[in-house]
Amino acid sequence: MLGNISNFFLIVIIAMSNVFGATLFRIGMQKSGIQSLDPGYLVKNLFSIIFQPLVLGGLLFFGMSTVLWLRILTTEHLSKSYPILMGFGVV
């Protein structure tokens, strides 16, 4: 198990943030009206995609989970914390 219970709850928050971020990405991309994954099309419409509010929200959730994950990695062994994170990500 992890060193302390607060790190366990941080991992739960990280997993939830990843789920929320991915969900916001999905909804935001659907609302952005992307019609093609052609690189030329994506580059031309990059700013309209990135600044779509739901996509920005997804980026914020992923950014928050990254900062929290770095916090976990400073105090816990990867061999203990990563399987827990992946377990919550699957559920």
Side-chain angles (χ1 to χ4, degrees):
M1 191 68 182
L2 296 174
N4 64 38
I5 195 74
S6 65
N7 286 343
F8 178 79
F9 286 117
L10 276 179
I11 292 175
V12 172
I13 291 169
I14 292 166
M16 290 178 6
S17 294
N18 287 337
V19 169
F20 291 146
T23 303
L24 288 175
F25 273 172
R26 169 89 171 143
I27 296 168
M29 290 303 289
Q30 287 176 335
K31 289 190 175 198
S32 71
I34 293 300
Q35 301 161 353
S36 171
L37 293 178
D38 177 53
Y41 180 83
L42 288 176
V43 169
K44 181 180 173 185
N45 296 300
L46 184 63
F47 288 111
S48 65
I49 295 169
I50 291 175
F51 291 111
Q52 206 286 334
L54 292 172
V55 173
L56 269 176
L59 286 171
L60 289 174
F61 272 104
F62 277 120
M64 180 182 74
S65 69
T66 300
V67 169
L68 292 175
W69 183 244
L70 291 173
R71 161 67 172 84
I72 292 294
L73 291 178
T74 62
T75 59
E76 297 292 340
H77 292 285
L78 184 62
S79 62
K80 292 181 181 178
S81 55
Y82 189 72
I84 295 170
L85 176 63
M86 290 298 102
F88 280 115
V90 171
V91 173

